[in-house]
Amino acid sequence: MGRAPCCDKANVKKGPWSPEEDVKLKDYIDKYGTGGNWIALPQKIGLKRCGKSCRLRWLNYLRPNIKHGGFSEEEDSIILNLYISIGSRWSIIAAQLPGRTDNDIKNYWNTKLKKKLLGRQKQMNRQDSITHSNENNISSNNNNNKSPQNLSNSALERLQLHMQLQNLQSPFSSFYNNPILWPKLHPLLQTTPDQNSKLASQETLHPLGVNFVHQKSHINLAEINNGASPIYSDNVEQALNPANEFQPNFGFSQDLQLDNHNMDLMNRSCGSKEWFQVGNEFGPTNDSSWWSEEVELERKTMSSSSWGSASVLDQTTEGVHILQDYAQMSYHSV
DNA sequence: AAGGGGCGCAACCGCGCCCGG
DNA sequence: CCCGGGCGCGGTTGCGCCCCT
């Protein structure tokens, strides 16, 4: 059942590229382009390399205007926000960062950014434990703060809080200011105008849907792209198209529908459930979860029916509302 | 000074998608 | 419509460098 190899593995050089190979490849592509066929290209040049290896070398290293290392805070924020929104779709994320390659971003995320965030999470965990001991559990909605669910959500929420707080500090492309990052309702639950007004009436109870809908109608999405390189995902492209500013039924994106994982958002006000898909980072079967092992362990020990909200946050900032709503998403195995 | 472990990055691998014959 | 080749993507690996003990 195996597939045919793309090249003759026995006669192909592997491993690091030599400067001579780089020069050969770059000179040829500069003069003649790739010819639309990477597989045939190494033979034309006389390189004992797999075509895929040539392509990778060109895209990740030899291509003009490639930036390496030195990610800025803004780039961190964009990567983080997009990762939260769409998961590990590095090519789409890379499309938002001119000069960056998907491989670079992937490496950066795995080696630095993720650890940086999780490091902050651990720090926050310690701070929270101190804070909570002084708060005397004033929470209004969750009286069972000692439940496993709340412990679990606490860890997750803190991680998300860190992410969110970092974003709020950066006015450029913060999660809240960047509509392309907002989750969308499942199409089956697309709301009628009446339902929208009903939701609007519940703004304080259900800020996620209401705020997302309303904010999305007011922000010029083109500004967010800031003239960056084109988006290759239809979904993101649509989100960035200012002509689509207002989407009253904000149906769930096709891209995210491809994910297998469904989340339901517990609507506290009326007890109904709305189904969300929020990207594979919240899914039950993703082994490469971005959260820490601690969070993963706690998640596994949770009730199989829900991720209830830990009412850690009494702040009323909009960013915190969003966090609360993420945390309110209850997990259902489908 | 040496060695071992961690980290970062470049490159590889395999799979799914797309397109042309 | 089917099949095969090529492309693109995400996950993983391997290696070299650096730092700590």
Side-chain angles (χ1 to χ4, degrees):
Chain A
M1 273 291 282
R3 76 168 38 205
C6 63
C7 54
D8 182 5
K9 303 277 184 191
N11 295 319
V12 155
K13 184 185 171 190
K14 294 203 288 188
W17 280 63
S18 69
E20 292 77 19
E21 288 175 314
D22 282 346
V23 168
K24 267 188 179 179
L25 181 61
K26 191 170 190 314
D27 281 354
Y28 183 89
I29 294 177
D30 283 345
K31 286 179 187 169
Y32 308 108
T34 65
N37 188 342
W38 284 106
I39 302 299
L41 192 126
Q43 287 149 11
K44 291 180 191 171
I45 312 175
L47 278 176
K48 287 189 174 182
R49 288 278 179 176
C50 174
K52 291 176 79 166
S53 178
C54 294
R55 175 184 164 271
L56 206 64
R57 185 66 179 170
W58 170 255
L59 290 177
N60 289 336
Y61 200 83
L62 299 175
R63 194 162 46 117
N65 303 321
I66 292 289
K67 283 192 281 184
H68 289 288
F71 281 78
S72 67
E73 288 292 322
E74 285 79 10
E75 286 174 316
D76 282 1
S77 181
I78 292 171
I79 294 168
L80 173 61
N81 289 334
L82 283 169
Y83 189 90
I84 290 171
S85 177
I86 63 177
S88 59
R89 299 166 71 173
W90 306 115
S91 59
I92 296 174
I93 296 172
Q96 294 305 295
L97 300 170
R100 301 294 187 185
T101 69
D102 54 356
N103 204 40
D104 226 12
I105 294 168
K106 180 174 58 180
N107 284 334
Y108 180 60
W109 171 263
N110 285 330
T111 60
K112 289 183 183 171
L113 199 50
K114 186 164 65 174
K115 289 173 185 173
K116 184 172 156 186
L117 292 165
L118 293 178
R120 290 188 186 183
Q121 181 204 2
K122 285 180 182 176
Q123 190 182 358
M124 189 66 167
N125 285 345
R126 287 193 291 272
Q127 291 171 354
D128 273 0
S129 65
I130 295 169
T131 304
H132 283 180
S133 66
N134 296 329
E135 279 177 348
N136 202 22
N137 296 329
I138 303 178
S139 167
S140 58
N141 286 333
N142 294 277
N143 297 324
N144 54 342
N145 282 342
K146 292 175 183 175
S147 71
Q149 287 95 330
N150 285 323
L151 286 175
S152 305
N153 289 316
S154 176
L156 176 60
E157 201 165 29
R158 272 176 246 153
L159 174 59
Q160 291 168 338
L161 175 60
H162 271 292
M163 292 175 168
Q164 187 62 29
L165 287 178
Q166 181 175 355
N167 294 336
L168 290 172
Q169 289 165 4
S170 172
F172 177 77
S173 78
S174 74
F175 181 77
Y176 185 70
N177 288 333
N178 195 342
I180 71 170
L181 307 176
W182 299 342
K184 300 172 184 178
L185 279 171
H186 191 282
L188 290 174
L189 291 155
Q190 286 180 350
T191 53
T192 64
D194 280 351
Q195 286 170 322
N196 276 339
S197 63
K198 180 182 175 184
L199 281 173
S201 70
Q202 298 166 351
E203 180 157 6
T204 56
L205 295 172
H206 201 305
L208 177 85
V210 172
N211 286 344
F212 282 170
V213 163
H214 287 196
Q215 289 292 328
K216 193 164 193 167
S217 67
H218 291 124
I219 291 177
N220 184 346
L221 296 161
E223 292 174 3
I224 291 150
N225 200 23
N226 201 23
S229 55
I231 310 299
Y232 296 104
S233 159
D234 288 345
N235 178 43
V236 177
E237 189 168 27
Q238 183 184 12
L240 289 170
N241 182 354
N244 293 333
E245 276 185 353
F246 183 53
Q247 297 181 1
N249 286 336
F250 69 125
F252 210 81
S253 69
Q254 281 190 334
D255 278 349
L256 293 182
Q257 284 177 55
L258 293 175
D259 293 328
N260 294 325
H261 314 306
N262 292 303
M263 308 292 293
D264 70 349
L265 174 69
M266 298 302 293
N267 186 326
R268 278 171 291 167
S269 61
C270 62
S272 67
K273 295 175 183 177
E274 291 168 344
W275 286 90
F276 281 77
Q277 290 174 308
V278 292
N280 55 12
E281 62 269 77
F282 288 110
T285 61
N286 185 357
D287 291 333
S288 56
S289 306
W290 51 265
W291 53 68
S292 67
E293 289 180 6
E294 173 197 357
V295 176
E296 178 67 12
L297 178 62
E298 289 186 358
R299 185 176 70 80
K300 286 175 178 172
T301 61
M302 286 165 51
S303 156
S304 62
S305 62
S306 71
W307 277 359
S309 174
S311 59
V312 173
L313 308 166
D314 287 327
Q315 294 103 320
T316 55
T317 65
E318 287 159 326
V320 171
H321 273 301
I322 293 168
L323 281 168
Q324 287 176 323
D325 281 306
Y326 262 110
Q328 287 157 18
M329 292 178 184
S330 300
Y331 167 67
H332 273 244
S333 51
V334 179

